[in-house]
Amino acid sequence: MKTEIFLENEQLDISVDLSALLTISIDDVRDFSSRQTSFSKTIVLPGTAKNNRIFGHIYDIGQANVYDETKPNFGYNFNASKSAACIIFQDNIQTFRGVLRILQINIVNGRIEYEVSVFGDLFLLNAQLSSKLLQDLDLSEYDHTLSLAGIINSWDNTSGSGYFYPLIDHGNYSADKHSWDYRTFRPAIYVKEYLDKMFGNAGFRYRSVFFNSTRFAKLVIPYNRKTLTRTAAGSTELSNISTPSRLSSSPNDISWATITGSGFTFNTNRNIFTFAGSATTNVDIIVGVNGTWSSGGTHSGQLRLYKNGSLVASQSGTSTSFFSVGSSVSTSVNPGDTLNYQFYADTSFTFSSGQVAVATSVGSTAQIPILIGDPVPMNEMIPKNIRQIDFLVSIVKLFNLYVYEDKFDSRLICITPYVDFFGTDNSESVDWTYKLNRDANIQLKPMSELNAKLYKFQYKSDSDYYNDLYNKRYGQSYGSYIFNSQYEFADQTKSFELIFAPTPLVGYNGEDKVYSTILKQTGTKQAEASSIEEEQIDSVVRILQAKKITDVASWAIKDGATTLTSPTDYGYAGHLDDPDAPTNDLNFGALEELFFVLASGTLSNTQFNLYWSSYMAEITDKDGKLLTASFYLTPADIYNLDLSKYINIDGVLFRLNKISDYNLSTPGECQVELLKVNYTLY
């Protein structure tokens, strides 16, 4: 048997007694959330002149080189910390393609040996995505200016690229849960947009009918910080109103609780900004305050900005309960100039939150609120500190995907849900009846022996009001599901958790819009509305389905008390594909309680039922069996291996679970794990 190993198209010298054992696997029923790539045990290569040259004489302690990532990873450009493309042939048949990694260099009596391992192409993709964060992706092509038209127009975009502005209740942006301040809208980025960028930046492509499906294209990741902000150039002073702070009906200076940044100083009452710069400077000042009136009826309020005691800007508004007002102004300040805000109202008022940002052309940067007319830098809309590999793995788990290398294209990754991976045509099965060594040990294990009693499918917990309420009432997270295998000989629970948190949907009496809701809340629904206080929060990253919902009762998008427009549709994003007539649900399990009235549709098409139920039924079936035995496989068998085809042994169908210790230098018997197929279609 002629074995050849190529590294970056350079043929390596191998030992006559080379023993290279390869494991091929797409799944492991013992770990139902794992997806694996092919890999080898340690291969020992001799330190010949040729191999030493290919490996850049890395054995030399004093060796050093300048690495150029744009050139092949071998010779003078070899870098052991980077992968190198590897192909293995047996009798001119390609039996492996992937990457090679040097594990160790041994020097004994002047003799050099290289201990290496090879891994499938998925290993390289994993390595690339493991070292990058979502925020490393560049979405600047979608930068835009925040506008009312832009928000509304995004509702028609469900293409899977770009962004979508969903109506999500973040708290404090609606007094009646019917009309909404425009500040509740934040850009959500499509999941497919993230994946396309991730694969492209890693140097890979993917082939997936599922990723190009209409349903998958509608998945979005909403902005997950409590207020929509951007980084402002220059020194910024960022302050929050002390809470609660009650003001009488006469004008009062606003007192700020916390102050950060540089460029300004403050008096002891923390209500006057004194410019500490050394030259006249232009500043952009953005402010917003929220709160409630202390008495019923319609009341008005006015926010006033004073510079050196003189009024330079004001913003007014009226409301019946919740009140929000904000303004943006540009002015110049000289060294020693003072700025302060006053609030006037016709009755007493209690602040619930507030923020002021003063951006100048000097000093450090800070976050300031994004208002209509301001730029929206899309790279800043990406959730922070989430590894790209964790994002992809959660998508794989959510939809029970098989991820595997294309046989002929080293940069093409195939992605298919388990429910679509295996064929249903028995005639396409591969007959291995005569490859089984019946004289060797054959193990046949009932599947129940391999599994725990309970399998828990769940989203990551978060502390927002409705998630916390659901968890307290039912002892499990919103949207989770527990599968009971009925196995009586174990009591442990196996589970996996996504990086995403669930997002409860909430509706209100007399209201025909349903909202994903992410907020904190104190008070009770039985009390007067004024006793319920809402708080905007940062949240765990979410995943939702976007859709434009039409023909709802006219409602208003507002700027404080000013109505900007009155649409009859809205941009919805939630775990149901349609809150009025759902056909599928991103939750793993049906809910114990809905926080809105369901008009029609079905709640049974959950992620578990659609993508996991047949898999779990297969591996926990009382008649299920895992066959482990010795099979004689040739290089042609490995080359022609199609993991989506059934293996036929004595007329019984099996799914291939794993091939262990296939010898790349001297093919012969190797251990194979096969999972009995009880039903080709559940």
Side-chain angles (χ1 to χ4, degrees):
M1 176 66 66
K2 179 183 176 183
T3 301
E4 299 170 292
I5 302 179
F6 289 82
L7 185 76
E8 300 284 357
N9 294 321
E10 291 283 322
Q11 185 173 0
L12 292 165
D13 291 333
I14 62 176
S15 302
V16 176
D17 59 350
L18 172 70
S19 178
L21 302 180
L22 183 68
T23 293
I24 302 170
S25 174
I26 195 171
D27 196 10
D28 188 345
V29 295
R30 299 171 189 82
D31 180 1
F32 69 99
S33 64
S34 72
R35 297 293 183 265
Q36 301 180 3
T37 186
S38 301
F39 63 92
S40 77
K41 292 185 177 179
T42 301
I43 301 172
V44 179
L45 299 174
T48 63
K50 185 177 184 180
N51 287 351
N52 292 341
R53 177 184 62 81
I54 291 175
F55 289 129
H57 299 280
I58 195 174
Y59 64 87
D60 186 349
I61 296 176
Q63 181 268 356
N65 66 334
V66 178
Y67 174 67
D68 185 348
E69 64 180 8
T70 65
K71 296 180 179 180
N73 189 16
F74 78 98
Y76 68 89
N77 196 53
F78 184 73
N79 184 343
S81 69
K82 302 293 184 179
S83 59
C86 176
I87 302 176
I88 300 177
F89 291 89
Q90 294 175 285
D91 284 348
N92 297 323
I93 298 176
Q94 178 183 304
T95 52
F96 175 85
R97 191 198 63 241
V99 297
L100 180 144
R101 174 191 177 190
I102 289 185
L103 304 174
Q104 183 171 299
I105 304 163
N106 300 320
I107 305 176
V108 181
N109 296 325
R111 181 185 177 187
I112 301 169
E113 288 184 341
Y114 298 95
E115 294 185 7
V116 304
S117 284
V118 296
F119 302 88
D121 292 315
L122 273 179
F123 175 84
L124 179 56
L125 176 64
N126 187 309
Q128 294 274 0
L129 301 186
S130 294
S131 62
K132 302 289 182 62
L133 302 175
L134 281 186
Q135 66 210 55
D136 295 328
L137 302 174
D138 183 10
L139 297 177
S140 58
E141 64 191 277
Y142 298 110
D143 287 353
H144 59 283
T145 298
L146 183 64
S147 67
L148 184 64
I151 291 172
I152 294 174
N153 291 340
S154 77
W155 301 343
D156 291 314
N157 174 30
T158 55
S159 64
S161 63
Y163 57 88
F164 181 89
Y165 275 89
L167 175 52
I168 294 178
D169 187 356
H170 293 284
N172 283 330
Y173 289 116
S174 177
D176 56 7
K177 301 300 183 183
H178 178 73
S179 295
W180 295 82
D181 191 284
Y182 78 86
R183 294 166 182 82
T184 203
F185 296 97
R186 295 96 184 270
I189 299 169
Y190 282 95
V191 169
K192 191 173 184 298
E193 185 72 52
Y194 280 123
L195 294 173
D196 288 349
K197 298 286 188 184
M198 286 163 50
F199 275 79
N201 289 355
F204 283 83
R205 309 181 316 281
Y206 64 78
R207 181 173 64 225
S208 176
V209 173
F210 177 69
F211 276 6
N212 291 306
S213 67
T214 300
R215 186 193 183 198
F216 194 84
K218 294 180 179 180
L219 298 178
V220 295
I221 306 296
Y223 182 84
N224 70 323
R225 296 190 289 283
K226 63 182 179 180
T227 54
L228 184 61
T229 63
R230 63 184 173 91
T231 301
S235 171
T236 301
E237 301 299 333
L238 186 63
S239 309
N240 295 320
I241 295 174
S242 53
T243 305
S245 176
R246 183 173 293 278
L247 298 179
S248 65
S249 58
S250 59
N252 284 266
D253 286 338
I254 297 176
S255 177
W256 306 95
T258 58
I259 296 165
T260 61
S262 60
F264 285 80
T265 60
F266 298 84
N267 69 355
T268 55
N269 294 325
R270 293 194 171 191
N271 58 9
I272 296 179
F273 299 74
T274 302
F275 183 54
S278 59
T280 300
T281 305
N282 293 324
V283 295
D284 295 320
I285 307 169
I286 302 173
V287 69
V289 296
N290 305 302
T292 54
W293 305 114
S294 60
S295 59
T298 300
H299 299 283
S300 62
Q302 186 180 67
L303 190 64
R304 302 173 179 176
L305 170 63
Y306 290 86
K307 182 173 72 172
N308 299 327
S310 298
L311 181 68
V312 294
S314 64
Q315 181 70 42
S316 302
T318 60
S319 70
T320 56
S321 176
F322 176 79
F323 182 76
S324 175
V325 65
S327 70
S328 176
V329 64
S330 297
T331 187
S332 63
V333 290
N334 298 309
D337 280 357
T338 61
L339 299 171
N340 71 293
Y341 271 100
Q342 289 188 349
F343 185 79
Y344 174 85
D346 59 13
T347 188
S348 58
F349 180 82
T350 299
F351 285 117
S352 59
S353 65
Q355 191 175 59
V356 63
V358 185
T360 74
S361 59
V362 295
S364 60
T365 61
Q367 295 298 114
I368 63 172
I370 297 177
L371 303 178
I372 283 183
D374 290 341
V376 182
M378 289 301 291
N379 288 343
E380 296 187 37
M381 304 300 106
I382 300 173
K384 298 297 185 286
N385 298 317
I386 295 176
R387 293 197 311 160
Q388 293 180 17
I389 188 64
D390 295 334
F391 183 86
L392 177 59
V393 167
S394 281
I395 297 297
V396 168
K397 291 179 178 180
L398 182 60
F399 294 98
N400 194 11
L401 302 177
Y402 276 175
V403 183
Y404 53 102
E405 303 98 332
D406 180 80
K407 182 181 295 187
F408 304 106
D409 189 337
S410 63
R411 293 291 169 162
L412 181 62
I413 303 299
C414 305
I415 302 171
T416 307
Y418 167 84
V419 293
D420 299 324
F421 183 73
F422 295 98
T424 58
D425 187 351
N426 298 359
S427 64
E428 295 182 355
S429 62
V430 180
D431 195 341
W432 282 7
T433 298
Y434 299 104
K435 293 184 177 292
L436 171 63
N437 184 352
R438 301 175 191 270
D439 295 327
N441 185 36
I442 297 176
Q443 294 180 347
L444 200 60
K445 292 186 177 181
M447 286 311 301
S448 58
E449 183 179 329
L450 302 176
N451 297 278
K453 180 178 178 65
L454 301 178
Y455 294 82
K456 191 170 186 179
F457 299 78
Q458 63 184 1
Y459 282 81
K460 189 178 182 67
S461 63
D462 204 354
S463 59
D464 55 285
Y465 175 77
Y466 283 99
N467 267 320
D468 185 60
L469 177 65
Y470 189 92
N471 202 332
K472 288 177 178 177
R473 285 182 177 176
Y474 302 105
Q476 63 183 35
S477 61
Y478 187 93
S480 64
Y481 181 76
I482 297 176
F483 175 79
N484 190 340
S485 68
Q486 305 297 326
Y487 180 48
E488 296 182 353
F489 300 101
D491 58 3
Q492 69 265 33
T493 299
K494 283 192 175 183
S495 63
F496 69 79
E497 183 178 85
L498 308 182
I499 63 168
F500 310 112
T503 307
L505 288 168
V506 179
Y508 297 88
N509 290 335
E511 176 57 44
D512 58 357
K513 297 192 295 297
V514 177
Y515 320 108
S516 285
T517 303
I518 309 172
L519 53 80
K520 289 280 193 180
Q521 179 177 300
T522 58
T524 62
K525 292 184 179 180
Q526 288 73 29
E528 294 295 326
S530 60
S531 69
I532 300 177
E533 295 186 0
E534 294 179 344
E535 177 186 349
Q536 295 146 221
I537 61 170
D538 298 323
S539 70
V540 174
V541 66
R542 311 297 177 92
I543 183 169
L544 305 171
Q545 302 186 78
K547 182 177 182 178
K548 181 180 181 179
I549 305 295
T550 59
D551 299 324
V552 298
S554 177
W555 58 287
I557 299 178
K558 296 185 174 184
D559 180 359
T562 303
T563 296
L564 303 177
T565 187
S566 298
T568 56
D569 43 38
Y570 71 104
Y572 160 85
H575 60 84
L576 298 175
D577 63 326
D578 186 326
D580 301 316
T583 61
N584 65 73
D585 190 350
L586 277 179
N587 287 338
F588 283 113
L591 297 168
E592 300 285 348
E593 175 183 2
L594 293 175
F595 297 116
F596 69 99
V597 177
L598 181 66
S600 62
T602 178
L603 298 177
S604 62
N605 290 332
T606 61
Q607 290 300 109
F608 179 84
N609 286 345
L610 291 177
Y611 297 101
W612 279 100
S613 59
S614 59
Y615 179 89
M616 295 307 298
E618 182 81 77
I619 70 172
T620 62
D621 193 288
K622 69 178 181 62
D623 296 322
K625 295 177 178 65
L626 183 69
L627 172 67
T628 303
S630 295
F631 286 78
Y632 183 86
L633 300 181
T634 67
D637 292 327
I638 299 299
Y639 175 78
N640 293 316
L641 193 62
D642 185 344
L643 296 171
S644 68
K645 293 186 181 300
Y646 297 126
I647 304 298
N648 187 326
I649 301 174
D650 294 333
V652 179
L653 297 181
F654 293 86
R655 304 183 202 273
L656 179 60
N657 192 54
K658 182 186 293 186
I659 297 174
S660 300
D661 296 345
Y662 171 77
N663 196 319
L664 287 167
S665 57
T666 310
E669 291 185 9
C670 55
Q671 189 176 74
V672 177
E673 290 184 357
L674 298 166
L675 178 63
K676 181 186 174 185
V677 176
N678 295 306
Y679 306 97
T680 57
L681 185 65
Y682 278 81

